[in-house]
Amino acid sequence: MISVTIFIEIATFPFMAQYDSRPNYLFIEYLEYPKEVFSMLIADYKLPLLFAFAVIFLFSYVYLKKCKDSFIEIFDINFFKRALFFLPLAVILFMGIRSSFGHRPANNSDAMYSSNRILNEVTKNSMYSIGYAVYSMSKNSSKDIQKRYGKMNISEAISRVKKRLNIENTDSKYILSREEETHFKTQNTKNIVIFVQESLGYQFVSSVGGEKGITPNFNNLSKEGILFKELYSNGTRSVRGLAGLTSGIFSIPGKGVVKRNKSQRDFFTIASLLKPLGYHSSFIYGGESRFDNMKSWYLGNSFDEVIDEEKFISPEFIGTWGVSDGDVVKRANEEYKKLYAKKQKFVSVIFSTSNHTPFDFPDGKIELIKGEAKKSVKNAIKYADYAIGKFINTAKNEKYYKDTIFLIAADHNVRVYGDDIVPVDMFHIPGLILGKDLKPSVYDKLTTQPDLLATTLDLAGIKSIYPIMGHSIFSDKKVDLSLMQFNDRYALRHGNKVAIIRPNTKPLTFEYINKRLQKTEDDIQLQKDLLAFILVLNHVYENRLFR
Protein backbone atom coordinates (compact mmCIF):
# COMPACT_ATOMS: atom_id res chain seq x y z
CA MET A 1 0.00 0.00 0.00
CA ILE A 2 2.87 2.35 0.81
CA SER A 3 4.41 1.57 -2.60
CA VAL A 4 1.10 2.53 -4.27
CA THR A 5 1.03 5.77 -2.29
CA ILE A 6 4.60 6.58 -3.36
CA PHE A 7 3.75 5.89 -7.00
CA ILE A 8 0.63 8.07 -6.90
CA GLU A 9 2.40 10.98 -5.18
CA ILE A 10 5.20 10.93 -7.76
CA ALA A 11 2.66 10.57 -10.58
CA THR A 12 0.85 13.64 -9.23
CA PHE A 13 3.51 15.98 -10.63
CA PRO A 14 3.25 15.01 -14.34
CA PHE A 15 -0.53 14.61 -13.97
CA MET A 16 -0.87 18.18 -12.66
CA ALA A 17 1.44 19.42 -15.39
CA GLN A 18 -0.90 17.86 -17.97
CA TYR A 19 -4.33 18.54 -16.41
CA ASP A 20 -3.78 21.26 -13.78
CA SER A 21 -5.51 18.92 -11.34
CA ARG A 22 -4.71 16.35 -8.68
CA PRO A 23 -5.19 12.77 -9.95
CA ASN A 24 -8.91 12.23 -10.42
CA TYR A 25 -11.16 9.84 -12.37
CA LEU A 26 -8.95 10.21 -15.46
CA PHE A 27 -6.16 8.54 -13.50
CA ILE A 28 -8.01 5.22 -13.44
CA GLU A 29 -10.78 5.49 -16.06
CA TYR A 30 -8.70 4.24 -18.99
CA LEU A 31 -6.86 1.40 -17.25
CA GLU A 32 -9.28 -0.96 -19.00
CA TYR A 33 -7.39 -0.11 -22.21
CA PRO A 34 -3.84 -1.20 -21.21
CA LYS A 35 -2.38 -1.25 -24.73
CA GLU A 36 -3.11 2.41 -25.44
CA VAL A 37 -2.40 3.62 -21.90
CA PHE A 38 0.94 1.88 -21.40
CA SER A 39 2.13 2.74 -24.90
CA MET A 40 1.46 6.39 -24.14
CA LEU A 41 3.14 6.21 -20.69
CA ILE A 42 6.26 4.56 -22.04
CA ALA A 43 6.46 7.03 -24.93
CA ASP A 44 5.91 10.21 -22.93
CA TYR A 45 6.71 9.51 -19.27
CA LYS A 46 9.81 7.31 -19.19
CA LEU A 47 11.72 9.41 -16.66
CA PRO A 48 8.83 9.83 -14.16
CA LEU A 49 8.15 6.07 -14.38
CA LEU A 50 11.80 5.17 -13.83
CA PHE A 51 12.03 7.63 -10.94
CA ALA A 52 8.88 6.24 -9.30
CA PHE A 53 10.06 2.64 -9.54
CA ALA A 54 13.52 3.63 -8.27
CA VAL A 55 12.01 5.31 -5.19
CA ILE A 56 9.74 2.31 -4.55
CA PHE A 57 12.73 -0.04 -4.86
CA LEU A 58 14.80 2.13 -2.51
CA PHE A 59 11.99 2.23 0.05
CA SER A 60 11.52 -1.55 -0.14
CA TYR A 61 15.25 -2.11 0.26
CA VAL A 62 15.52 0.16 3.30
CA TYR A 63 12.44 -1.38 4.89
CA LEU A 64 13.64 -4.97 4.44
CA LYS A 65 17.15 -4.05 5.57
CA LYS A 66 16.42 -1.73 8.52
CA CYS A 67 12.79 -1.99 9.64
CA LYS A 68 11.48 -5.50 9.01
CA ASP A 69 12.86 -7.02 12.22
CA SER A 70 11.63 -4.10 14.32
CA PHE A 71 8.15 -4.52 12.91
CA ILE A 72 8.11 -8.26 13.66
CA GLU A 73 9.37 -7.63 17.23
CA ILE A 74 6.20 -5.66 17.96
CA PHE A 75 4.25 -8.92 17.95
CA ASP A 76 6.34 -10.16 20.91
CA ILE A 77 4.65 -7.54 23.10
CA ASN A 78 1.65 -8.73 25.08
CA PHE A 79 -1.61 -8.36 23.10
CA PHE A 80 -3.33 -6.27 25.78
CA LYS A 81 -0.36 -3.87 25.95
CA ARG A 82 -0.46 -3.50 22.18
CA ALA A 83 -4.19 -2.82 22.33
CA LEU A 84 -3.61 -0.20 25.03
CA PHE A 85 -0.91 1.51 22.96
CA PHE A 86 -3.15 1.44 19.91
CA LEU A 87 -6.01 3.37 21.55
CA PRO A 88 -4.38 6.84 21.40
CA LEU A 89 -3.06 5.99 17.91
CA ALA A 90 -6.60 5.05 16.83
CA VAL A 91 -7.89 8.41 18.07
CA ILE A 92 -5.19 10.25 16.12
CA LEU A 93 -5.89 8.18 12.99
CA PHE A 94 -9.63 8.81 13.31
CA MET A 95 -9.04 12.55 13.63
CA GLY A 96 -6.77 12.45 10.59
CA ILE A 97 -9.23 10.45 8.50
CA ARG A 98 -12.16 12.66 9.48
CA SER A 99 -10.06 15.84 9.19
CA SER A 100 -12.79 17.91 10.79
CA PHE A 101 -14.33 18.63 14.20
CA GLY A 102 -17.53 19.77 12.52
CA HIS A 103 -20.80 17.94 12.03
CA ARG A 104 -19.58 16.39 8.76
CA PRO A 105 -16.17 14.93 7.91
CA ALA A 106 -13.95 16.79 5.46
CA ASN A 107 -14.40 16.16 1.74
CA ASN A 108 -13.25 17.70 -1.55
CA SER A 109 -15.60 20.65 -1.07
CA ASP A 110 -13.46 21.86 1.84
CA ALA A 111 -10.67 22.48 -0.67
CA MET A 112 -12.89 24.89 -2.63
CA TYR A 113 -11.95 27.96 -0.63
CA SER A 114 -10.71 30.02 -3.56
CA SER A 115 -11.85 30.95 -7.06
CA ASN A 116 -8.31 30.00 -8.15
CA ARG A 117 -8.63 26.36 -9.15
CA ILE A 118 -4.91 25.55 -8.92
CA LEU A 119 -4.75 26.71 -5.30
CA ASN A 120 -7.73 24.51 -4.51
CA GLU A 121 -6.13 21.49 -6.17
CA VAL A 122 -2.83 21.89 -4.28
CA THR A 123 -4.62 21.60 -0.92
CA LYS A 124 -6.07 18.19 -1.81
CA ASN A 125 -4.67 14.71 -1.20
CA SER A 126 -4.01 12.61 -4.30
CA MET A 127 -5.01 9.26 -2.80
CA TYR A 128 -8.23 10.75 -1.44
CA SER A 129 -8.98 12.47 -4.75
CA ILE A 130 -8.72 9.17 -6.64
CA GLY A 131 -10.80 7.32 -4.05
CA TYR A 132 -13.43 10.05 -4.07
CA ALA A 133 -13.52 9.99 -7.89
CA VAL A 134 -14.12 6.23 -7.91
CA TYR A 135 -16.87 6.66 -5.33
CA SER A 136 -18.48 9.54 -7.22
CA MET A 137 -18.43 7.65 -10.53
CA SER A 138 -20.48 4.89 -8.90
CA LYS A 139 -23.06 7.38 -7.66
CA ASN A 140 -25.15 8.57 -10.57
CA SER A 141 -28.74 8.00 -9.42
CA SER A 142 -31.19 10.90 -9.33
CA LYS A 143 -30.99 11.06 -5.54
CA ASP A 144 -27.20 11.18 -5.60
CA ILE A 145 -27.19 13.87 -8.30
CA GLN A 146 -29.60 16.04 -6.28
CA LYS A 147 -27.58 15.45 -3.13
CA ARG A 148 -24.41 16.64 -4.86
CA TYR A 149 -25.73 19.55 -6.95
CA GLY A 150 -29.04 20.60 -5.44
CA LYS A 151 -32.75 19.79 -5.40
CA MET A 152 -35.49 20.98 -7.72
CA ASN A 153 -38.82 19.55 -8.76
CA ILE A 154 -38.27 17.80 -12.09
CA SER A 155 -41.28 19.51 -13.66
CA GLU A 156 -39.79 22.90 -12.85
CA ALA A 157 -36.40 21.75 -14.13
CA ILE A 158 -37.88 20.59 -17.46
CA SER A 159 -39.76 23.87 -17.84
CA ARG A 160 -36.62 25.90 -17.16
CA VAL A 161 -34.49 23.93 -19.63
CA LYS A 162 -37.07 24.15 -22.41
CA LYS A 163 -37.45 27.88 -21.84
CA ARG A 164 -33.69 28.51 -21.75
CA LEU A 165 -33.19 26.44 -24.95
CA ASN A 166 -36.27 27.97 -26.60
CA ILE A 167 -37.76 24.52 -27.23
CA GLU A 168 -41.50 24.06 -27.65
CA ASN A 169 -42.97 20.58 -27.80
CA THR A 170 -46.24 18.84 -27.09
CA ASP A 171 -44.91 15.38 -26.26
CA SER A 172 -45.34 14.92 -22.52
CA LYS A 173 -43.03 11.89 -22.43
CA TYR A 174 -40.17 12.74 -24.78
CA ILE A 175 -39.73 16.20 -23.35
CA LEU A 176 -37.18 17.55 -25.85
CA SER A 177 -38.54 16.01 -29.04
CA ARG A 178 -40.18 18.39 -31.52
CA GLU A 179 -40.59 18.88 -35.25
CA GLU A 180 -38.09 21.19 -36.94
CA GLU A 181 -38.56 22.54 -40.45
CA THR A 182 -35.63 22.99 -42.81
CA HIS A 183 -34.74 26.38 -44.26
CA PHE A 184 -33.30 24.66 -47.35
CA LYS A 185 -36.18 22.64 -48.75
CA THR A 186 -35.27 20.21 -51.50
CA GLN A 187 -36.57 17.00 -53.00
CA ASN A 188 -33.08 15.54 -52.88
CA THR A 189 -31.79 15.74 -49.30
CA LYS A 190 -28.03 15.72 -49.02
CA ASN A 191 -25.53 13.25 -47.58
CA ILE A 192 -23.81 14.23 -44.35
CA VAL A 193 -20.17 13.72 -43.27
CA ILE A 194 -19.11 14.75 -39.76
CA PHE A 195 -15.31 14.88 -39.43
CA VAL A 196 -14.49 15.03 -35.71
CA GLN A 197 -11.02 16.37 -34.94
CA GLU A 198 -9.24 15.04 -31.87
CA SER A 199 -8.28 17.83 -29.44
CA LEU A 200 -8.22 20.70 -31.95
CA GLY A 201 -8.27 23.85 -29.82
CA TYR A 202 -9.03 27.30 -31.21
CA GLN A 203 -5.55 28.52 -30.23
CA PHE A 204 -4.02 26.57 -33.13
CA VAL A 205 -6.41 27.90 -35.80
CA SER A 206 -5.75 31.45 -36.98
CA SER A 207 -9.15 31.82 -38.68
CA VAL A 208 -10.82 31.69 -35.25
CA GLY A 209 -8.23 33.77 -33.40
CA GLY A 210 -5.38 31.30 -32.90
CA GLU A 211 -1.74 31.04 -33.93
CA LYS A 212 -0.83 31.33 -37.60
CA GLY A 213 0.88 28.63 -39.65
CA ILE A 214 -0.46 25.49 -37.95
CA THR A 215 -3.72 24.82 -39.84
CA PRO A 216 -3.31 26.31 -43.33
CA ASN A 217 -5.85 23.94 -44.91
CA PHE A 218 -8.59 24.64 -42.38
CA ASN A 219 -7.94 28.37 -42.69
CA ASN A 220 -8.21 28.29 -46.49
CA LEU A 221 -11.34 26.14 -46.39
CA SER A 222 -12.93 28.52 -43.88
CA LYS A 223 -13.26 31.03 -46.72
CA GLU A 224 -15.45 28.56 -48.65
CA GLY A 225 -18.03 27.64 -46.00
CA ILE A 226 -19.63 28.67 -42.73
CA LEU A 227 -16.98 29.33 -40.11
CA PHE A 228 -17.99 29.22 -36.43
CA LYS A 229 -15.76 31.58 -34.45
CA GLU A 230 -17.44 31.22 -31.05
CA LEU A 231 -18.00 27.47 -30.80
CA TYR A 232 -17.62 25.85 -27.36
CA SER A 233 -17.35 22.13 -26.60
CA ASN A 234 -19.55 20.12 -24.25
CA GLY A 235 -16.67 18.93 -22.12
CA THR A 236 -13.05 17.85 -22.02
CA ARG A 237 -13.22 14.21 -23.19
CA SER A 238 -13.81 12.70 -26.61
CA VAL A 239 -16.98 10.87 -25.58
CA ARG A 240 -18.59 14.20 -24.65
CA GLY A 241 -17.78 15.73 -28.03
CA LEU A 242 -18.82 12.65 -29.99
CA ALA A 243 -22.18 12.60 -28.20
CA GLY A 244 -22.65 16.32 -28.84
CA LEU A 245 -21.89 16.07 -32.55
CA THR A 246 -23.61 12.72 -33.15
CA SER A 247 -26.64 12.97 -30.82
CA GLY A 248 -26.92 16.67 -30.05
CA ILE A 249 -26.92 16.21 -26.28
CA PHE A 250 -24.97 18.05 -23.61
CA SER A 251 -22.77 16.24 -21.07
CA ILE A 252 -24.75 14.18 -18.57
CA PRO A 253 -23.50 13.87 -14.97
CA GLY A 254 -21.08 11.00 -14.39
CA LYS A 255 -19.73 8.97 -17.29
CA GLY A 256 -20.66 10.04 -20.80
CA VAL A 257 -23.58 8.44 -22.62
CA VAL A 258 -21.19 6.62 -24.97
CA LYS A 259 -20.04 4.53 -21.99
CA ARG A 260 -23.25 4.28 -19.94
CA ASN A 261 -25.53 1.23 -19.90
CA LYS A 262 -28.92 2.86 -20.50
CA SER A 263 -27.78 4.64 -23.66
CA GLN A 264 -26.46 1.60 -25.54
CA ARG A 265 -29.82 1.07 -27.27
CA ASP A 266 -32.67 3.33 -28.39
CA PHE A 267 -30.70 6.52 -27.80
CA PHE A 268 -31.10 9.26 -30.40
CA THR A 269 -28.31 9.63 -32.96
CA ILE A 270 -28.14 11.14 -36.41
CA ALA A 271 -28.18 7.56 -37.74
CA SER A 272 -31.44 6.68 -35.97
CA LEU A 273 -32.95 9.88 -37.36
CA LEU A 274 -31.94 9.24 -40.97
CA LYS A 275 -32.35 5.45 -41.14
CA PRO A 276 -36.11 5.74 -41.90
CA LEU A 277 -35.16 8.06 -44.77
CA GLY A 278 -33.01 5.33 -46.32
CA TYR A 279 -29.57 6.60 -45.27
CA HIS A 280 -26.65 4.20 -44.78
CA SER A 281 -24.63 5.17 -41.69
CA SER A 282 -21.00 4.54 -40.74
CA PHE A 283 -18.46 5.39 -38.07
CA ILE A 284 -14.88 5.47 -39.37
CA TYR A 285 -12.00 5.47 -36.88
CA GLY A 286 -8.33 4.61 -37.38
CA GLY A 287 -7.90 3.05 -33.94
CA GLU A 288 -9.58 0.26 -32.01
CA SER A 289 -13.24 1.25 -31.80
CA ARG A 290 -13.75 -0.70 -28.57
CA PHE A 291 -11.87 2.18 -26.90
CA ASP A 292 -14.31 4.29 -24.87
CA ASN A 293 -17.01 1.80 -25.90
CA MET A 294 -17.47 3.63 -29.21
CA LYS A 295 -18.19 0.53 -31.31
CA SER A 296 -20.91 -0.76 -29.01
CA TRP A 297 -22.57 2.65 -28.74
CA TYR A 298 -22.58 3.43 -32.45
CA LEU A 299 -23.75 0.00 -33.58
CA GLY A 300 -26.31 -0.14 -30.78
CA ASN A 301 -27.81 3.17 -31.83
CA SER A 302 -28.61 2.55 -35.48
CA PHE A 303 -25.22 2.93 -37.18
CA ASP A 304 -24.97 0.29 -39.89
CA GLU A 305 -21.21 -0.08 -39.94
CA VAL A 306 -18.07 0.61 -37.92
CA ILE A 307 -14.80 0.72 -39.86
CA ASP A 308 -11.83 0.67 -37.49
CA GLU A 309 -8.14 -0.27 -37.47
CA GLU A 310 -8.56 -3.99 -38.15
CA LYS A 311 -10.52 -3.26 -41.34
CA PHE A 312 -7.77 -1.17 -42.97
CA ILE A 313 -5.79 -3.16 -45.54
CA SER A 314 -2.09 -2.28 -45.87
CA PRO A 315 -2.28 1.22 -44.34
CA GLU A 316 0.57 3.60 -45.06
CA PHE A 317 1.27 4.29 -41.37
CA ILE A 318 0.26 2.78 -38.03
CA GLY A 319 0.97 4.61 -34.76
CA THR A 320 0.16 4.04 -31.12
CA TRP A 321 -3.49 5.01 -31.59
CA GLY A 322 -4.03 3.32 -34.93
CA VAL A 323 -3.70 4.09 -38.63
CA SER A 324 -2.93 7.64 -39.69
CA ASP A 325 -5.52 10.27 -40.51
CA GLY A 326 -4.28 10.15 -44.11
CA ASP A 327 -5.24 6.47 -44.31
CA VAL A 328 -8.59 7.20 -42.64
CA VAL A 329 -9.65 9.92 -45.10
CA LYS A 330 -8.49 7.80 -48.04
CA ARG A 331 -10.71 4.92 -46.86
CA ALA A 332 -13.61 7.27 -46.16
CA ASN A 333 -13.47 8.66 -49.69
CA GLU A 334 -13.48 5.13 -51.14
CA GLU A 335 -16.54 4.20 -49.08
CA TYR A 336 -18.47 7.31 -50.10
CA LYS A 337 -17.68 6.79 -53.79
CA LYS A 338 -19.05 3.23 -53.66
CA LEU A 339 -22.22 4.30 -51.85
CA TYR A 340 -22.86 7.20 -54.22
CA ALA A 341 -22.32 4.96 -57.24
CA LYS A 342 -25.12 2.73 -55.92
CA LYS A 343 -27.33 5.82 -55.43
CA GLN A 344 -27.26 5.14 -51.70
CA LYS A 345 -27.63 8.17 -49.42
CA PHE A 346 -25.21 8.17 -46.51
CA VAL A 347 -24.36 9.78 -43.19
CA SER A 348 -20.92 9.17 -41.76
CA VAL A 349 -18.89 10.17 -38.71
CA ILE A 350 -15.08 10.18 -39.06
CA PHE A 351 -12.94 10.46 -35.94
CA SER A 352 -9.27 11.48 -36.25
CA THR A 353 -6.45 10.10 -34.07
CA SER A 354 -3.28 12.06 -34.88
CA ASN A 355 -3.45 14.75 -32.21
CA HIS A 356 -3.01 12.48 -29.23
CA THR A 357 0.10 11.67 -27.24
CA PRO A 358 2.60 10.39 -28.26
CA PHE A 359 1.72 12.30 -31.47
CA ASP A 360 2.56 9.66 -34.09
CA PHE A 361 2.22 10.59 -37.76
CA PRO A 362 4.05 9.66 -40.99
CA ASP A 363 7.16 11.46 -42.17
CA GLY A 364 7.29 13.68 -45.23
CA LYS A 365 3.69 14.89 -45.19
CA ILE A 366 4.12 18.32 -43.61
CA GLU A 367 6.81 20.92 -43.14
CA LEU A 368 7.58 20.69 -39.42
CA ILE A 369 7.06 23.83 -37.36
CA LYS A 370 10.34 25.52 -36.48
CA GLY A 371 11.37 25.23 -32.87
CA GLU A 372 8.97 22.35 -32.17
CA ALA A 373 9.86 18.70 -31.66
CA LYS A 374 8.51 16.44 -34.40
CA LYS A 375 6.30 14.62 -31.88
CA SER A 376 4.57 17.68 -30.51
CA VAL A 377 1.02 19.00 -30.29
CA LYS A 378 1.53 21.63 -32.97
CA ASN A 379 3.07 19.27 -35.51
CA ALA A 380 0.41 16.63 -34.82
CA ILE A 381 -2.29 19.24 -35.41
CA LYS A 382 -0.55 20.37 -38.59
CA TYR A 383 -0.64 16.77 -39.82
CA ALA A 384 -4.33 16.45 -38.87
CA ASP A 385 -4.91 19.65 -40.85
CA TYR A 386 -3.04 18.09 -43.79
CA ALA A 387 -5.52 15.18 -43.66
CA ILE A 388 -8.46 17.62 -43.62
CA GLY A 389 -7.13 19.33 -46.74
CA LYS A 390 -6.40 16.03 -48.46
CA PHE A 391 -9.90 14.74 -47.73
CA ILE A 392 -11.82 17.82 -48.90
CA ASN A 393 -9.66 18.36 -51.98
CA THR A 394 -10.13 14.71 -52.96
CA ALA A 395 -13.86 14.89 -52.32
CA LYS A 396 -14.20 17.96 -54.53
CA ASN A 397 -13.13 15.82 -57.48
CA GLU A 398 -15.74 13.16 -56.72
CA LYS A 399 -19.36 13.11 -57.85
CA TYR A 400 -20.71 12.80 -54.29
CA TYR A 401 -19.29 16.18 -53.26
CA LYS A 402 -22.10 18.24 -54.81
CA ASP A 403 -24.69 16.28 -52.84
CA THR A 404 -22.94 16.28 -49.45
CA ILE A 405 -22.68 18.59 -46.45
CA PHE A 406 -19.39 18.36 -44.54
CA LEU A 407 -19.07 19.34 -40.88
CA ILE A 408 -15.56 19.66 -39.44
CA ALA A 409 -15.32 20.30 -35.69
CA ALA A 410 -13.23 19.36 -32.67
CA ASP A 411 -14.40 17.06 -29.92
CA HIS A 412 -12.71 19.27 -27.29
CA ASN A 413 -9.64 21.45 -26.78
CA VAL A 414 -6.19 19.90 -26.61
CA ARG A 415 -5.74 20.44 -22.89
CA VAL A 416 -8.10 22.29 -20.58
CA TYR A 417 -5.98 24.24 -18.14
CA GLY A 418 -5.99 27.53 -16.25
CA ASP A 419 -6.67 28.66 -12.71
CA ASP A 420 -10.33 29.66 -13.17
CA ILE A 421 -12.64 27.16 -11.47
CA VAL A 422 -13.96 26.42 -14.96
CA PRO A 423 -11.47 27.61 -17.64
CA VAL A 424 -14.08 28.72 -20.19
CA ASP A 425 -11.47 29.85 -22.72
CA MET A 426 -10.17 26.29 -23.04
CA PHE A 427 -13.55 25.00 -24.22
CA HIS A 428 -13.25 27.20 -27.32
CA ILE A 429 -12.91 25.08 -30.48
CA PRO A 430 -13.14 25.66 -34.26
CA GLY A 431 -16.03 24.54 -36.43
CA LEU A 432 -16.67 24.66 -40.17
CA ILE A 433 -19.46 23.53 -42.50
CA LEU A 434 -18.69 23.02 -46.21
CA GLY A 435 -20.73 22.13 -49.27
CA LYS A 436 -20.99 22.93 -52.94
CA ASP A 437 -22.65 26.31 -53.58
CA LEU A 438 -22.70 27.05 -49.85
CA LYS A 439 -22.43 30.80 -49.35
CA PRO A 440 -19.25 31.60 -47.34
CA SER A 441 -19.93 33.37 -44.06
CA VAL A 442 -18.64 33.80 -40.52
CA TYR A 443 -20.93 33.05 -37.60
CA ASP A 444 -19.58 34.86 -34.56
CA LYS A 445 -22.31 34.20 -31.99
CA LEU A 446 -22.05 31.70 -29.16
CA THR A 447 -22.53 28.17 -30.53
CA THR A 448 -22.56 24.62 -29.14
CA GLN A 449 -21.90 21.19 -30.63
CA PRO A 450 -25.66 20.40 -30.60
CA ASP A 451 -26.21 23.65 -32.56
CA LEU A 452 -23.74 22.40 -35.18
CA LEU A 453 -25.64 19.13 -35.59
CA ALA A 454 -28.96 20.95 -35.98
CA THR A 455 -27.43 23.36 -38.52
CA THR A 456 -25.94 20.50 -40.55
CA LEU A 457 -29.31 18.74 -40.76
CA ASP A 458 -30.92 22.02 -41.78
CA LEU A 459 -28.40 22.59 -44.59
CA ALA A 460 -28.95 19.02 -45.78
CA GLY A 461 -32.60 19.93 -46.36
CA ILE A 462 -33.93 17.51 -43.75
CA LYS A 463 -37.22 18.21 -42.00
CA SER A 464 -37.36 16.01 -38.93
CA ILE A 465 -38.49 15.29 -35.39
CA TYR A 466 -35.60 15.19 -32.92
CA PRO A 467 -34.52 16.00 -29.32
CA ILE A 468 -31.31 17.88 -30.20
CA MET A 469 -30.48 20.39 -27.46
CA GLY A 470 -29.70 23.17 -29.88
CA HIS A 471 -30.97 24.97 -32.97
CA SER A 472 -29.84 25.69 -36.49
CA ILE A 473 -28.15 29.07 -36.83
CA PHE A 474 -30.75 29.83 -39.52
CA SER A 475 -33.58 29.48 -37.00
CA ASP A 476 -34.95 32.40 -35.03
CA LYS A 477 -35.10 29.98 -32.07
CA LYS A 478 -31.31 29.86 -31.80
CA VAL A 479 -30.08 30.92 -28.34
CA ASP A 480 -26.62 32.25 -27.45
CA LEU A 481 -25.62 29.87 -24.67
CA SER A 482 -23.25 27.03 -23.89
CA LEU A 483 -23.23 24.33 -21.22
CA MET A 484 -19.77 23.12 -20.22
CA GLN A 485 -18.78 20.21 -17.99
CA PHE A 486 -15.37 20.29 -16.35
CA ASN A 487 -14.66 17.22 -14.19
CA ASP A 488 -17.56 17.31 -11.69
CA ARG A 489 -18.35 21.00 -12.29
CA TYR A 490 -20.84 22.57 -14.66
CA ALA A 491 -20.92 26.04 -16.18
CA LEU A 492 -23.85 27.62 -18.00
CA ARG A 493 -22.94 30.62 -20.10
CA HIS A 494 -25.53 33.01 -21.48
CA GLY A 495 -23.96 35.90 -23.30
CA ASN A 496 -20.96 36.77 -21.13
CA LYS A 497 -22.55 35.79 -17.83
CA VAL A 498 -21.51 32.39 -16.45
CA ALA A 499 -23.13 30.43 -13.62
CA ILE A 500 -21.07 27.63 -12.07
CA ILE A 501 -22.06 24.74 -9.82
CA ARG A 502 -19.62 22.51 -7.94
CA PRO A 503 -20.73 19.53 -5.86
CA ASN A 504 -21.85 20.35 -2.33
CA THR A 505 -21.06 24.05 -2.64
CA LYS A 506 -23.03 27.23 -3.26
CA PRO A 507 -23.47 28.20 -6.95
CA LEU A 508 -21.49 31.20 -8.18
CA THR A 509 -21.96 33.75 -10.97
CA PHE A 510 -19.18 35.34 -13.03
CA GLU A 511 -18.73 37.74 -15.91
CA TYR A 512 -16.56 36.36 -18.73
CA ILE A 513 -14.28 39.27 -19.59
CA ASN A 514 -11.03 39.12 -21.60
CA LYS A 515 -11.08 35.31 -21.45
CA ARG A 516 -11.20 35.28 -17.66
CA LEU A 517 -13.95 34.83 -15.08
CA GLN A 518 -14.61 37.78 -12.81
CA LYS A 519 -16.89 37.27 -9.81
CA THR A 520 -20.13 39.22 -9.93
CA GLU A 521 -23.40 39.29 -8.03
CA ASP A 522 -25.43 36.10 -8.10
CA ASP A 523 -27.77 35.62 -11.03
CA ILE A 524 -30.26 33.40 -9.21
CA GLN A 525 -32.26 32.50 -12.33
CA LEU A 526 -29.17 31.52 -14.31
CA GLN A 527 -27.94 29.44 -11.37
CA LYS A 528 -31.31 27.71 -11.09
CA ASP A 529 -31.34 27.06 -14.84
CA LEU A 530 -27.91 25.48 -14.57
CA LEU A 531 -29.14 23.13 -11.84
CA ALA A 532 -32.16 22.38 -14.03
CA PHE A 533 -29.89 21.35 -16.93
CA ILE A 534 -27.97 18.93 -14.71
CA LEU A 535 -31.16 17.34 -13.36
CA VAL A 536 -32.90 17.15 -16.74
CA LEU A 537 -29.86 15.61 -18.44
CA ASN A 538 -29.78 12.96 -15.73
CA HIS A 539 -33.57 12.51 -15.99
CA VAL A 540 -33.65 11.91 -19.76
CA TYR A 541 -30.78 9.43 -19.46
CA GLU A 542 -32.13 7.48 -16.48
CA ASN A 543 -35.62 7.24 -18.02
CA ARG A 544 -34.43 6.63 -21.58
CA LEU A 545 -36.19 9.73 -22.88
CA PHE A 546 -33.60 11.08 -25.32
CA ARG A 547 -35.41 9.99 -28.48
Side-chain angles (χ1 to χ4, degrees), residues 144-161:
D144 291 315
I145 296 299
Q146 292 197 41
K147 183 177 179 181
R148 296 179 69 203
Y149 293 102
K151 295 182 178 180
M152 180 183 290
N153 181 280
I154 193 62
S155 297
E156 180 188 351
I158 292 169
S159 177
R160 282 181 171 275
V161 167

Side-chain angles (χ1 to χ4, degrees), residues 158-169 176 178 180 468-471 475-481 494 533:
I158 292 169
S159 177
R160 282 181 171 275
V161 167
K162 289 166 68 171
K163 182 178 179 181
R164 182 65 73 171
L165 287 176
N166 201 12
I167 287 176
E168 296 179 3
N169 83 324
L176 299 172
R178 74 279 182 191
E180 292 288 352
I468 295 172
M469 300 181 79
H471 293 286
S475 171
D476 56 9
K477 300 174 186 175
K478 169 75 174 66
V479 183
D480 297 338
L481 64 72
H494 189 268
F533 269 100

Side-chain angles (χ1 to χ4, degrees), residues 390-410:
K390 177 182 177 181
F391 175 55
I392 297 299
N393 288 331
T394 301
K396 285 178 178 178
N397 294 317
E398 304 294 348
K399 294 179 180 179
Y400 71 80
Y401 182 79
K402 64 183 176 62
D403 293 317
T404 305
I405 297 295
F406 299 83
L407 166 61
I408 303 170

